[in-house]
Amino acid sequence: MSEINFKEMANRYRKELYNNVLPFWLEKSQDEEYGGYFTCLNRDGSVFDTDKFVWLQGREIWMFAMLYNKVEKNPEWLACARQGAAFLEKFGHDGNYDFYFSLTREGKPIIQPYNIFSNTFACMAFAQLAVATGDEHYADIARKTFQRILDRRSNPKGQWLKAVPGTRPMKDFALPMIICNMALEIEPIIQDKSLLEGTIEEALHEVFDVFYQPDLGVMVENLSPDGSLIDCFEGRKVNPGHDLEALWFMMNLGLRLNRQDIIDKSMEIALRVIDYGWDKEYGGIFYFMDRKGCPTQELEWDQKLWWVHLEAAICMIKGYQLTGNQKALEWFLRLDDYLWTRFKDPEFPEWYGYLNRRGEVLLPLKGGKWKGCFHVPRGLYQIGNILQEMADKQ
């Protein structure tokens, strides 16, 4: 492999983040009348729906607070995070720090707080804002929300669970995956370090020892509570993007714990996952797969999604940086080409989110019910930083 100019690559990611993507969200998403953020944005950034999805509100607060903490003390970033937090604190939860799924533009709840991920991203948002401002009030909200997550994790949907109890109980991979990342995010404001360490150890166990299936080389999305496989649509589901996102979280935990074995194991699994999930005919990573090769229940199974490829790229370049594995670098370069030639909009700011199997734009939107100010800027930030660190050593 010819010499790679990591500095040039780092500059490309950083320029895209600071000159293109962040100004787009600052200008187009903030609701100056009611507070919070619009996320349903057309290709040009115009608003096509004013409902506010709470986990995307939390993600945008987190993004600008995190950048304020780690990049520069930009008052515009902090103001953006503060106004979003004011809206979320006032309207986002039921009074018990269980956060609704969606709100009207004005802040009236539409959908009940059935989705625990509204809580997780609110928790991360207020924790980062507490660090940015030194305001104990934000830290208190984050701690109360974290406690509700711990209280709910054995039965995340609670009274809003659709399944009949007892017939086919399942636990899902997404929660321990998110808790891994959230634990590091909120560490600065958690007073009980033993609680945090116990949460990290439990999440590591769930990811590596329970959900990871060595015979398949991937994590499955759902299991029986006892950890056994289930032969049904949900029990056969594999989401390669989730796996790869979780594995770079695992690498971060390996760094935090000074455990190279965790990093090496994460890299080994990540290479198996990406080979499993890569579309050998058209390129890109499948959205959903069936561990037995059966038809999936998700009709969008073969779409190529923005977040899947960005998380995969973070995983591969981080894995290469921490292990020197050349296969990881080769995969990163392949993903880098796919991202910039398929997802980047050459005419308007921000990136496309949804491609068909052949890699053609399926939906021209820049934000919606599921896509907000999160995966694109976080991916650009993470990858740009890693490439810059590698360039400095080059």
Side-chain angles (χ1 to χ4, degrees):
M1 188 179 296
S2 59
E3 184 72 9
I4 297 164
N5 189 330
F6 291 120
K7 183 173 179 59
E8 192 176 279
M9 293 183 81
N11 288 340
R12 170 158 50 89
Y13 279 87
R14 290 179 153 192
K15 181 181 177 182
E16 182 71 7
L17 175 62
Y18 298 115
N19 297 355
N20 182 352
V21 171
L22 293 179
F24 172 87
W25 290 103
L26 284 168
E27 179 185 344
K28 303 294 187 182
S29 74
Q30 296 192 76
D31 184 346
E32 295 179 2
E33 185 175 354
Y34 291 100
Y37 314 109
F38 300 118
T39 60
C40 296
L41 304 176
N42 283 307
R43 184 185 180 196
D44 63 358
S46 58
V47 178
F48 69 84
D49 194 292
T50 60
D51 285 353
K52 292 171 180 170
F53 303 97
V54 169
W55 68 338
L56 297 182
Q57 303 293 304
R59 284 175 163 192
E60 188 155 350
I61 297 163
W62 174 86
M63 178 60 61
F64 282 103
M66 181 277 292
L67 293 170
Y68 180 85
N69 289 332
K70 296 188 176 179
V71 179
E72 66 169 288
K73 303 301 183 195
N74 184 325
E76 191 177 13
W77 294 350
L78 185 59
C80 179
R82 275 185 179 275
Q83 73 83 5
F87 180 84
L88 194 58
E89 180 184 357
K90 186 174 182 181
F91 301 112
H93 63 88
D94 62 359
N96 193 35
Y97 297 95
D98 283 326
F99 284 77
Y100 297 110
F101 180 75
S102 60
L103 311 168
T104 64
R105 181 185 179 185
E106 299 81 8
K108 294 178 181 177
I110 301 172
I111 295 181
Q112 299 279 9
Y114 78 94
N115 191 314
I116 198 169
F117 300 110
S118 296
N119 281 32
T120 61
F121 290 107
C123 181
M124 288 168 56
F126 285 107
Q128 279 290 343
L129 199 51
V131 174
T133 62
D135 190 332
E136 181 61 21
H137 177 63
Y138 293 134
D140 186 55
I141 296 172
R143 284 191 286 266
K144 287 176 178 174
T145 306
F146 181 57
Q147 188 58 54
R148 286 300 299 142
I149 294 164
L150 297 182
D151 293 344
R152 290 177 58 182
R153 63 182 162 176
S154 62
N155 183 20
K157 293 187 179 180
Q159 63 181 303
W160 301 290
L161 182 68
K162 289 187 291 185
V164 175
T167 303
R168 186 184 287 157
M170 285 189 287
K171 61 179 182 177
D172 70 86
F173 175 60
L175 189 55
M177 177 197 108
I178 290 294
I179 287 176
C180 286
N181 187 50
M182 189 179 68
L184 293 182
E185 286 286 339
I186 66 172
E187 185 171 11
I189 58 96
I190 293 295
Q191 291 140 339
D192 184 353
K193 299 305 180 187
S194 63
L195 172 66
L196 192 68
E197 288 164 8
T199 302
I200 289 172
E201 285 302 321
E202 183 177 342
L204 281 168
H205 167 69
E206 286 284 299
V207 172
F208 284 141
D209 303 326
V210 179
F211 283 94
Y212 177 57
Q213 305 296 314
D215 293 346
L216 291 170
V218 297
M219 278 75 92
V220 292
E221 285 290 293
N222 298 286
L223 286 169
S224 291
D226 65 3
S228 60
L229 292 168
I230 313 168
D231 193 2
C232 65
F233 277 121
E234 292 83 3
R236 293 191 302 267
K237 186 195 296 185
V238 175
N239 184 330
H242 255 171
D243 288 10
L244 292 163
E245 184 178 11
L247 288 163
W248 75 257
F249 294 168
M250 296 294 103
M251 292 177 194
N252 281 348
L253 287 177
L255 288 171
R256 160 68 172 71
L257 300 170
N258 195 26
R259 293 268 307 274
Q260 186 65 36
D261 61 310
I262 292 174
I263 295 169
D264 291 341
K265 185 170 185 176
S266 300
M267 182 78 270
E268 175 192 336
I269 297 172
L271 290 171
R272 295 187 70 183
V273 170
I274 197 165
D275 184 65
Y276 180 95
W278 189 261
D279 184 343
K280 309 299 190 290
E281 185 173 356
Y282 292 103
I285 301 168
F286 288 117
Y287 188 16
F288 291 112
M289 301 177 77
D290 186 290
R291 64 179 171 83
K292 287 190 167 184
C294 302
T296 66
Q297 65 179 336
E298 296 85 10
L299 302 181
E300 67 273 24
W301 69 275
D302 65 348
Q303 289 178 20
K304 309 296 165 63
L305 268 67
W306 83 109
W307 71 265
V308 170
H309 294 78
L310 281 157
E311 300 306 324
I314 297 170
C315 185
M316 290 299 143
I317 196 61
K318 186 180 285 285
Y320 174 68
Q321 181 190 35
L322 297 176
T323 69
N325 190 303
Q326 286 294 315
K327 287 184 179 178
L329 179 59
E330 291 168 16
W331 273 112
F332 170 73
L333 295 174
R334 190 184 300 187
L335 287 159
D336 173 75
D337 177 68
Y338 194 91
L339 283 166
W340 288 84
T341 58
R342 309 283 184 154
F343 288 102
K344 177 172 166 54
D345 184 342
E347 188 175 345
F348 292 99
E350 245 287 346
W351 289 17
Y352 297 120
Y354 302 88
L355 312 179
N356 64 20
R357 182 177 179 184
R358 294 182 296 277
E360 302 158 342
V361 176
L362 186 64
L363 294 171
L365 57 78
K366 295 300 174 58
K369 185 176 180 178
W370 309 108
K371 183 179 188 291
C373 179
F374 189 65
H375 286 286
V376 173
R378 185 177 73 168
L380 295 171
Y381 169 77
Q382 288 277 346
I383 295 166
N385 280 5
I386 293 169
L387 290 169
Q388 186 59 53
E389 289 168 7
M390 289 164 55
D392 292 341
K393 289 183 178 179
Q394 197 168 40

